[in-house]
Amino acid sequence: QSNVAYKEMTASFTLAILPDTQKYSQSYPQIFTSQTRWIVEHKEDLNIAFVLHEGDVTNGNVEYHWENAKASMSILDGVLPYAIVLGNHDMGPGGDCAVRKSPLFNRYFPVSKYEQLSTFGGTFEPNLLDNSFHLFHAGETEWLVLALEYLPRDQVLEWAREILESYPYRRVIVLTHAHVYSDNSLFGSKTDHNWTPEDYGISRSQGGVNSPVQVWEKLLRHFSNISLVFNGHFTGNGVSSQDGAARVIGISKGGNRVLQMLANYQHIPEGGSGFM
């Protein structure tokens, strides 16, 4: 056991994480592109193994936002594998999150583009990238990335459970748009949290929604191989980049620590100033 622990500590690698790019896609596409170019340029020296986009890819779910996003993300194609989740601004007319449908997302990021990759595991629904899972090797460890929709439906959590049960020996990274709130707590665990699930039309759609507290109770806490959860969505007070980061350490039923982390810098100048 000590040898395994030693290997895990010494075999370091990097995850590149893109918080909400919504204002870049709308107004500052050059910043978005500079981020993905930087990732490619530093792939070798930082041993970057995987890229995660935390959602709100666009600000209004309109054509030119998705065109900009595709141009920036395509720089990673053939260089590094990546996973993307939808944010509330990526769904419904004008990004109003009234419905879960996001045909523009699936046109610009079609499943067919990724399903031939060795890292691509599959999706919840055929031909929809809204919920997906990915497999990669890094740090002398086999990893699984579980990319879940914003405030996931019950049936999505059931699908996620099946995936986790199918890969019990992989360490797991969960990627979703909303999970940790900016006050270092799980979203929905306090009455003063803004942007509650009831504020969005999807809460009244078929399948409903699950808050992060419910996702933790129904799914995450039951698996001892879950290591990390990453999300965006929530903002700080606009003073500095540090305001856009928060974390929660949860303890699963099996006793493992689950590091859950928020990063979102859209509240600082130019929609985030390129912070990653």
Side-chain angles (χ1 to χ4, degrees):
Q1 290 181 339
S2 61
N3 288 337
V4 173
Y6 178 76
K7 285 182 178 179
E8 288 184 354
M9 285 190 295
T10 58
S12 63
F13 68 96
T14 299
L15 293 171
I17 301 176
L18 295 165
D20 306 44
T21 56
Q22 58 199 81
K23 293 184 180 179
Y24 303 150
S25 295
Q26 179 178 25
S27 304
Y28 307 101
Q30 72 278 7
I31 296 179
F32 196 167
T33 296
S34 72
Q35 289 180 311
T36 51
R37 282 180 177 161
W38 186 93
I39 291 169
V40 168
E41 290 167 0
H42 291 275
K43 173 190 175 184
E44 300 300 330
D45 62 285
L46 292 179
N47 193 21
I48 299 174
F50 208 92
V51 182
L52 307 172
H53 194 306
E54 297 179 329
D56 275 359
V57 184
T58 71
N59 203 33
N61 193 25
V62 295
E63 197 97 22
Y64 84 89
H65 293 194
W66 286 110
E67 289 175 355
N68 288 335
K70 178 184 177 182
S72 297
M73 292 299 293
S74 292
I75 291 172
L76 302 172
D77 290 346
V79 182
L80 277 163
Y82 56 89
I84 307 178
V85 290
L86 290 171
N88 52 295
H89 282 268
D90 300 321
M91 298 185 291
D96 63 2
C97 203
V99 294
R100 287 201 180 272
K101 294 180 181 179
S102 188
L104 288 176
F105 168 62
N106 283 288
R107 186 199 309 168
Y108 284 96
F109 294 90
V111 171
S112 58
K113 179 178 177 178
Y114 306 101
E115 60 187 358
Q116 302 305 317
L117 300 178
S118 62
T119 54
F120 190 73
T123 60
F124 168 60
E125 297 167 289
N127 301 317
L128 293 180
L129 199 62
D130 303 31
N131 295 277
S132 61
F133 74 98
H134 310 258
L135 308 167
F136 72 98
H137 178 92
E140 300 182 5
T141 302
E142 299 296 327
W143 292 90
L144 184 151
V145 175
L146 191 57
L148 302 179
E149 65 189 17
Y150 175 61
L151 304 175
R153 295 162 284 175
D154 279 336
Q155 55 265 49
V156 169
L157 295 186
E158 285 302 313
W159 168 80
R161 178 182 293 277
E162 292 175 4
I163 299 302
L164 292 171
E165 290 173 346
S166 298
Y167 295 93
Y169 301 111
R170 284 183 177 262
R171 293 181 68 178
V172 177
I173 299 165
V174 177
L175 175 67
T176 192
H177 183 56
H179 191 72
V180 172
Y181 197 73
S182 54
D183 63 357
N184 296 296
S185 70
L186 288 187
F187 175 49
S189 63
K190 298 181 181 179
T191 57
D192 63 346
H193 286 175
N194 295 321
W195 308 307
T196 64
E198 293 75 20
D199 292 336
Y200 300 97
I202 59 170
S203 66
R204 297 177 290 279
S205 63
Q206 186 176 6
V209 298
N210 279 281
S211 72
V213 173
Q214 292 170 313
V215 172
W216 172 260
E217 291 296 331
K218 291 182 179 181
L219 181 71
L220 303 184
R221 68 184 293 264
H222 298 281
F223 290 88
S224 59
N225 57 334
I226 295 178
S227 298
L228 300 160
V229 183
F230 294 111
N231 71 278
H233 187 52
F234 304 107
T235 62
N237 58 25
V239 176
S240 70
S241 62
Q242 284 73 24
D243 297 326
R247 71 173 185 173
V248 171
I249 297 178
I251 306 298
S252 76
K253 290 175 66 176
N256 64 299
R257 287 156 50 94
V258 183
L259 178 59
Q260 302 156 90
M261 178 180 169
L262 157 70
N264 181 16
Y265 309 111
Q266 64 175 282
H267 54 284
I268 63 177
E270 296 182 318
S273 299
F275 277 95
M276 295 161 48

